[in-house]
Amino acid sequence: MRKKRLASLLAAAGLLASTVPLLAAAQASATDTTTAVNTAAVQADSAYLRQKPAWHRCSAEQPASYECATIKVPLDYRRPAGRTLDLAISRVRSTNPAKRHGVLLMNPGGPGGPGLDLPLALGEVVPAEVGERYDLIGFDPRGVGASSPISCGLADAELGIDRPYRPGSFPSDVTWARTIAEKCRQKAGSVLPYITTRNTARDMDIIRAVLGERKLSYLGYSYGTYLGAVYAQMFPGRTDRFVLDSGVDPELVWRGMFRTWATEAEPAFARWTRWAAERSGEYHLGESPAAVSKTFWDLVARADRDPIVFQGEKISGDDIRRARALFFYPAQATPLVVALKDAADGKPAVTPGASGPDFSMKRALAGRSGAAAEPASDNDVAVFWSVVCGDTDSWPRDPERYRRDAVRDKAAYPLYGDFASNIKPCAFWPRPLEAQTPMRTPARVLTVQNEWDSQTPLASGLGLHRALKGSRMVLALGGEGHGVYLADPSSCAAAPVTAYLATGRLPAEDISCRTSSPGAERKGASPSPVRPLPIPSGPGRF
């Protein structure tokens, strides 16, 4: 392991150097008290860094090469001698130890997405030259899954994250947002303030240290790109080969990212109208983009007046508008619009991919395929709000501000503007314990982006690349889907990413390459990449 003990000692020295100033600043009261606290902090930090993961087979049903362990991290890094959290980690070892470079930590996004199974899931598809150079490392971030999971005790009806604006229902929207915040505070108030991106980045550095590595390589998707960017700012000397796939713009964290879903849905919708018009002989939605648009908005207005009954489900105009993510994938959106139009006209549901006993139009419009799953816990939602509300103090506190913004944005971005700008629980969330992370330190990392990504649209990915001075970008022009690398082996972005991970050499300049849209001509396919990645996939996640 190339003098693993020395690497571990160097890693320990590095982490202590970064945490002691924070502790001194956070806890500086009387001099004697500060000295005592800092001494205890150093001892506590040393204990975290000396942990030896007890690796074991994750389960008898899974390959023996897929190993799991649990380590401890402090709940509050300002008080490392205090309460701890469990952090579940996993690994699949390098396939060729002679060529091993280090570890590749992975995060699927969310925030709130579990990542413990990523080494197993992605290990099956990583190119050989990547698999032999790294131990693939997964983890459930703090508060998620097997890592001291949190809950707000939310009912199923409270698990959604977006609500359309209507004057008559806005008071109930305010009540919903306040109720979510209050339930979370009552159920998990002692933990929620510490479920943040900066603390998860600190956890990542603990993982690096206990694995005996001087530096960390990383593959992060969606929200995981922001997590990786924050790590690169907090621990630049330990940042090795970082791939940030489907980028979150740090300047838009987090309300601005919601609003990006509205602004960027409009060009995607316009592209869809052109696509459908070119195929008017097949889909009969209109012979021009303007005609297709009129067909759609007439359908929305009709469903607003009288919900469309589709195989027993009532579909409102708001249900249709909520499907903004579908319009990034024209081949998948068009059959659903046709099926809804046929139902509104009293025709039977016969559209391929949009009929049958297991088909749910509401689930399809929400970007979810297949039969309904068992009711989910609120763990991912609780973590989602903890992070997006706790990372930044930029959320407005006055409900009236949200009302005004929703009215304005519904007019400016009619597909999704009011959903994006309407009130969120963050209006009533406790103030964050730390400021948002500024992107000031150069970061020689690789960002990757599809041109047509519904969750982290191109504008967001460009913002991440712009914020990280020294980064390079691989842009797949024409590419559809959320998540690029390992999703579509034929993507033009695959080779540059693999080369970077294998050699550590960034491209000399940004790369824009042309790729075919995944499944662009497949009727009735689900709105997902060719090979669905194990990352949060609903339209309400990053």
Side-chain angles (χ1 to χ4, degrees):
M1 288 293 186
R2 291 191 278 181
K3 299 185 179 180
K4 186 173 180 180
R5 177 171 174 76
L6 175 60
S8 182
L9 291 172
L10 289 170
L15 184 59
L16 290 174
S18 69
T19 53
V20 169
L22 172 64
L23 289 155
Q27 299 175 338
S29 52
T31 302
D32 292 343
T33 302
T34 301
T35 301
V37 168
N38 285 340
T39 300
V42 170
Q43 293 171 345
D45 277 338
S46 298
Y48 289 119
L49 298 173
R50 288 196 303 269
Q51 294 178 88
K52 301 295 182 185
W55 293 107
H56 57 86
R57 186 172 183 171
C58 292
S59 77
E61 292 75 33
Q62 293 168 317
S65 60
Y66 175 48
E67 298 177 297
C68 291
T70 300
I71 61 174
K72 297 288 185 181
V73 294
L75 171 68
D76 181 357
Y77 275 88
R78 300 170 306 173
R79 299 172 178 82
R83 183 175 171 184
T84 64
L85 298 175
D86 288 340
L87 200 69
I89 60 176
S90 62
R91 74 177 179 186
V92 170
R93 292 193 182 200
S94 158
T95 57
N96 187 347
K99 293 186 176 181
R100 182 184 181 277
H101 172 73
V103 299
L104 183 67
L105 186 66
M106 297 178 286
N107 179 270
L116 198 64
D117 64 347
L118 286 182
L120 183 62
L122 296 186
E124 298 175 351
V125 296
V126 295
E129 55 265 53
V130 175
E132 66 186 10
R133 283 172 172 79
Y134 298 97
D135 294 346
L136 304 180
I137 307 296
F139 74 114
D140 281 352
R142 57 170 51 208
V144 176
S147 294
S148 297
I150 63 170
S151 168
C152 293
L154 303 179
D156 288 350
E158 296 169 327
L159 298 180
I161 69 166
D162 59 1
R163 296 166 77 92
Y165 173 79
R166 293 182 180 277
S169 62
F170 184 68
S172 68
D173 296 339
V174 174
T175 298
W176 164 80
R178 181 183 287 110
T179 298
I180 299 296
E182 289 177 351
K183 280 191 169 185
C184 288
R185 192 157 44 240
Q186 292 168 5
K187 184 81 172 180
S190 63
V191 177
L192 291 185
Y194 308 101
I195 307 296
T196 64
T197 299
R198 286 180 63 85
N199 280 330
T200 301
R202 293 178 178 114
D203 294 344
M204 288 168 55
D205 206 53
I206 293 277
I207 294 172
R208 174 202 60 78
V210 301
L211 294 179
E213 301 292 330
R214 294 183 62 185
K215 288 190 173 184
L216 185 70
S217 293
Y218 178 77
L219 171 60
Y221 294 93
S222 195
Y223 162 73
T225 66
Y226 181 63
L227 175 60
V230 169
Y231 182 93
Q233 296 302 302
M234 295 177 69
F235 306 101
R238 298 170 210 148
T239 299
D240 196 6
R241 304 173 187 179
F242 268 45
V243 175
L244 308 182
D245 187 318
S246 307
V248 167
D249 184 350
E251 293 296 320
L252 300 180
V253 170
W254 280 106
R255 192 180 186 217
M257 283 302 300
F258 282 93
R259 297 174 80 176
T260 298
W261 288 344
T263 61
E264 303 313 300
E266 297 299 317
F269 181 81
R271 173 177 175 250
W272 168 72
T273 64
R274 295 191 296 270
W275 192 95
E278 291 168 359
R279 296 157 179 79
S280 61
E282 180 178 358
Y283 294 110
H284 310 291
L285 293 177
E287 296 183 353
S288 68
V292 173
S293 180
K294 184 177 186 305
T295 297
F296 175 83
W297 287 110
D298 285 349
L299 188 65
V300 170
R302 188 170 176 179
D304 275 337
R305 292 190 303 270
D306 186 15
I308 299 168
V309 178
F310 188 94
Q311 294 188 178
E313 292 181 302
K314 289 187 176 182
I315 309 297
S316 69
D318 290 337
D319 290 328
I320 300 172
R321 290 194 303 120
R322 186 179 268 117
R324 58 97 202 160
L326 282 173
F327 295 100
F328 285 78
Y329 318 112
Q332 290 77 54
T334 309
L336 298 181
V337 176
V338 170
L340 280 171
K341 185 176 181 296
D342 286 346
D345 293 338
K347 298 178 182 178
V350 295
T351 304
S355 58
D358 293 330
F359 178 79
S360 165
M361 179 60 76
K362 282 198 172 185
R363 287 182 56 77
L365 292 173
R368 300 180 179 91
S369 59
E374 292 296 317
S377 76
D378 71 336
N379 176 234
D380 64 330
V381 177
V383 173
F384 180 86
W385 290 127
S386 296
V387 172
V388 301
C389 300
D391 270 0
T392 173
D393 200 22
S394 63
W395 287 94
R397 298 288 164 166
D398 181 6
E400 178 61 18
R401 167 75 179 277
Y402 292 91
R403 188 196 66 78
R404 291 196 306 267
D405 289 351
V407 170
R408 179 198 64 204
D409 288 350
K410 187 172 186 177
Y413 313 108
L415 194 62
Y416 196 74
D418 55 318
F419 286 91
S421 295
N422 202 356
I423 195 163
K424 304 291 188 287
C426 303
F428 305 102
W429 212 261
R431 297 284 185 183
L433 298 179
E434 292 187 85
Q436 184 177 329
T437 305
M439 300 287 145
R440 296 178 182 141
T441 303
R444 290 186 55 77
V445 304
L446 187 64
T447 69
V448 192
Q449 187 72 35
N450 271 330
E451 182 179 11
W452 298 103
D453 179 339
S454 62
Q455 302 314 108
T456 49
L458 176 58
S460 175
L462 290 170
L464 175 68
H465 174 42
R466 186 169 54 247
L468 294 176
K469 303 298 187 291
S471 66
R472 292 288 184 267
M473 184 176 199
V474 179
L475 171 59
L477 295 170
E480 290 181 1
H482 184 47
V484 185
Y485 188 57
L486 305 180
D488 181 6
S490 67
S491 172
C492 63
V497 177
T498 295
Y500 168 65
L501 287 173
T503 68
R505 292 190 294 270
L506 280 172
E509 57 187 7
D510 293 343
I511 297 173
S512 292
C513 57
R514 176 66 58 177
T515 197
S516 61
S517 300
E521 299 298 330
R522 296 199 317 272
K523 297 179 187 177
S526 62
S528 59
V530 166
R531 177 184 288 131
L533 293 168
I535 63 178
S537 58
R541 292 294 184 275
F542 301 107

